[in-house]
DNA sequence: TAGATTGTTAATCGATTAACAATC
DNA sequence: TAGATTGTTAATCGATTAACAATC
């Protein structure tokens, strides 16, 4: 029963959530599928369809109660639950991520940092000590961590992933430019920014090519 | 004729390119669709289908010439052409992006930085001066820039986008947590990391829920 | 009640994939 | 020639959307 929501729909749920939070801030008590859709560039039918996978809380003639729906989506996405993460590869990207307010807002706590550069071991970033990657197994025995963030160069990524998985991590956010080979029960979210950059490049070419 | 490649296929092209570059480094002269597919977790039929939108360079019984195909994809994505970009919102994320090697490798040059914080104006990041956002129109008259990168907070993003568009920018990489309202001829690539974070959170919940 | 909007069915649209003739 | 792999057709699968009865 748990997973018959289509992947494209699932990926839109966070957008609805983001928009609902904004509606909350504006003091809007009810939103309808047309309003949500227009704010996000999505047809209202699709909004209703997507939400129907999760809730049944819309009121015909009225719309969705902002607070109730926000809460439902928050629960569905698990944002209300505290989740621990570790990060490996302490470079500029790691620095940006660790200061990113989103983690805290979405219930994710980056509690451990790792690197393999002797220069960095023992130093801190955002008040968190940087450990040697070889210590990850030992340290993960002490805390239950579900999320691993990989911001290492390509060459280290696969071995880091394996160490994380050995330590009990089940979800990986992979910023490195490599396809990780992982067991099927591990959730891998790939985020190689170069891939997006290439699409951006393509868009520039095609802009000038036509219309 | 130019755009009948399906969006999902287009999004996979950069992955093929990345993998081909790796094959080049390994000195592999030919790759076949099965190899490419296995490296990326994609069925070989889909690899051939995707590539067929762009090239017709595979040789039955042999596969694809690594160098030739790399070159074809590079051209298709426009990576070989120099492209100029500006960035608005000089925070931690901007710092990570500007030091990201990908831009250079993919032919993108971030040539101008903008912010609205008086503290930052006149200072430099990676040897580039930070200008006030209000100067963007003036400065864009001097250089032809096609890409705008928005790493500002949500509240400034829409107005920044408008200024970029007024300055002749046609492709926007939007890291801010807001849906930009832009004319239809502007290409917008949204990259709110919170959206991915929410999916990651959801994966953690569903991991523990079942199997 | 009249008007508005939901949730869902069925039709449409589009992407994936199996299968195989063509060809190196 | 025999074996391997392409490019493409047609079948399948899955997502989007139009339409509308149900309902607030």
């Amino acid at each position: 029963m748990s997973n018959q929501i289509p992947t494209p729909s699932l990926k839109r749920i966070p957008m609805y959530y983001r928009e609902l939070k904004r509606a909350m801030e504006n003091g809007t008590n009810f939103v309808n599928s047309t309003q949500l859709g227009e704010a996000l560039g999505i047809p209202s039918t699709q909004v209703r369809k997507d939400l129907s996978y999760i809730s049944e809380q819309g009121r015909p003639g009225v719309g969705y109660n902002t607070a109730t729906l926000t809460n439902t989506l928050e629960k569905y996405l698990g944002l209300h639950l505290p989740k621990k993460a570790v990060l490996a590869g302490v470079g500029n990207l790691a620095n940006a991520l660790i200061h990113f307010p989103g983690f805290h807002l979405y219930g994710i706590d980056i509690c451990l940092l790792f690197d393999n550069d002797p220069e960095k071991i023992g130093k801190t970033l955002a008040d968190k000590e940087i450990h040697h990657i070889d210590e990850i197994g030992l340290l993960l025995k002490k805390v239950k961590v579900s999320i691993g963030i990989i911001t290492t160069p390509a060459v280290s990524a696969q071995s880091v992933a394996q160490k994380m998985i050995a330590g009990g991590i089940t979800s990986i956010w992979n910023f490195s430019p490599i396809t990780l080979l992982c067991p099927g029960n591990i959730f891998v979210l790939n985020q190689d920014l170069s891939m997006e950059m290439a699409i951006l490049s393509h868009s520039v070419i095609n802009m000038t090519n036509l219309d």
Side-chain angles (χ1 to χ4, degrees), chain A:
Chain A
M1 175 240 141
S2 191
N3 219 4
Q4 78 278 64
I5 183 173
T7 310
S9 298
L10 174 59
K11 289 192 181 152
R12 284 188 293 265
I13 301 298
M15 297 204 268
Y16 300 133
Y17 177 74
R18 191 181 69 182
E19 207 51 41
L20 283 160
K21 288 285 266 190
R22 203 159 345 255
M24 290 276 276
E25 278 168 27
N26 297 343
T28 313
N29 290 322
F30 284 88
V31 285
N32 63 46
S33 58
T34 307
Q35 291 163 341
L36 270 177
E38 275 173 7
L40 295 166
I42 293 172
S44 69
T45 321
Q46 193 165 65
V47 174
R48 294 200 297 283
K49 186 80 170 174
D50 287 345
L51 293 178
S52 78
Y53 291 114
I54 291 167
S55 76
E56 266 134 55
Q57 302 179 323
R59 283 168 55 192
V62 180
Y64 301 85
N65 180 296
T66 315
T68 311
L69 187 55
T70 304
N71 201 258
T72 304
L73 296 192
E74 186 165 306
K75 292 241 166 68
Y76 180 76
L77 293 169
L79 305 180
H80 63 304
L81 296 175
K83 297 162 290 287
K84 292 205 177 294
V86 300
L87 180 151
V90 184
N92 287 311
L93 186 53
N95 179 56
L97 290 174
I98 211 157
H99 289 105
F100 194 62
F103 284 100
H104 183 239
L105 291 169
Y106 285 52
I108 300 174
D109 172 36
I110 303 182
C111 62
L112 290 166
L113 302 178
F114 296 93
D115 208 295
N116 65 0
D117 180 352
E119 290 279 306
K120 290 179 186 163
I121 313 298
K123 292 191 177 151
T124 62
L125 174 61
D127 292 331
K128 287 164 221 297
E129 193 186 342
I130 303 169
H131 302 273
H132 192 282
I133 187 67
D134 289 344
E135 290 187 63
I136 192 170
L138 203 64
L139 288 164
L140 284 181
K141 276 185 191 154
K142 299 183 193 164
V143 231
K144 188 188 180 304
V145 175
S146 47
I147 299 171
I149 303 171
I150 300 180
T151 48
T152 67
V155 69
S156 327
Q158 180 64 46
S159 82
V160 164
Q162 273 154 350
K163 284 170 190 159
M164 286 176 169
I165 294 167
I169 277 166
T170 52
S171 293
I172 291 179
W173 201 3
N174 175 36
F175 287 82
S176 84
I178 207 167
T179 304
L180 297 175
L181 301 171
C182 293
N185 59 338
I186 304 297
F187 177 85
V188 179
L189 181 57
N190 289 304
Q191 193 92 62
D192 176 3
L193 292 177
S194 306
M195 299 295 96
E196 317 289 335
M197 218 176 274
I199 297 295
L200 205 64
S201 171
H202 177 261
S203 82
V204 173
I205 304 316
N206 276 50
M207 282 292 163
T208 44
N209 269 3
L210 40 95
D211 78 338

